[in-house]
Amino acid sequence: MYKIPESVLVVIHTSDLDVLLIERAANPGYWQSVTGSLDTEDEPLLTTATRELFEETGIVADGERIKLRDWGMSNIYEIYPVWRHRYAPGVTQNTEHIFSVEVPRGIPIVLSPREHTAHIWLPYLEAADKCFSPSNAEAILQLPKLR
């Protein structure tokens, strides 16, 4: 089963703009926000973002205390060659939809060990510098304006 080349990026932050980054298990040193592809072509983006947020961090977006915010923005980027085998032959680009979520300081983080091995909270400028993905870094830099 090939991955759908449409995904979400969820920037997790506190009210004072500390940002959560998680380290990829298969790629040590690759720090990122929550990301994930749609499970089906018709899966709503908010559903994907809610699911991925929970699967990767244990954070539940309940729509009341923890609310996902759809920025109404997306990026189209080239899929890194090392990951293209996950997609149908000939697929080279992915469309990534951006969300953010403000969480209370000290919220418990429960990583999915098969996906991520560590997490860190950093001020947003430092977090942007630490991201391996340019589109992720750019989203973090937009956080003060778009949260």
Side-chain angles (χ1 to χ4, degrees), residues 10-144:
V10 182
V11 178
I12 304 164
H13 65 92
T14 62
S15 61
D16 58 353
L17 298 182
D18 280 351
V19 172
L20 178 71
L21 294 181
I22 49 184
E23 185 178 34
R24 295 180 67 93
N27 305 89
Y30 278 44
W31 291 88
Q32 65 182 71
S33 295
V34 165
T35 63
S37 297
L38 278 66
D39 273 351
T40 62
E41 295 278 348
D42 61 349
E43 182 178 38
L45 294 172
L46 183 60
T47 300
T48 305
T50 301
R51 175 177 47 77
E52 290 293 339
L53 178 67
F54 177 72
E55 287 176 0
E56 295 187 13
T57 66
I59 296 172
V60 175
D62 60 12
E64 293 175 19
R65 201 183 79 154
I66 309 281
K67 296 178 191 170
L68 279 160
R69 182 169 182 278
D70 184 346
W71 289 11
M73 297 171 59
S74 58
N75 300 306
I76 297 174
Y77 63 85
E78 288 291 315
I79 299 167
Y80 287 103
V82 68
W83 291 315
R84 286 190 187 157
H85 69 278
R86 297 176 177 174
Y87 299 87
V91 172
T92 60
Q93 294 186 321
N94 184 75
T95 301
E96 172 185 77
H97 303 274
I98 305 171
F99 289 78
S100 64
V101 62
E102 184 177 319
V103 298
R105 181 167 294 289
I107 192 168
I109 304 300
V110 179
L111 299 177
S112 169
R114 68 176 186 81
E115 289 191 69
H116 299 97
T117 56
H119 73 278
I120 188 169
W121 289 96
L122 293 171
Y124 83 98
L125 291 173
E126 290 179 41
D129 284 343
K130 195 165 186 70
C131 283
F132 80 93
S133 161
S135 64
N136 194 164
E138 182 58 33
I140 291 170
L141 291 173
Q142 297 299 316
L143 194 55

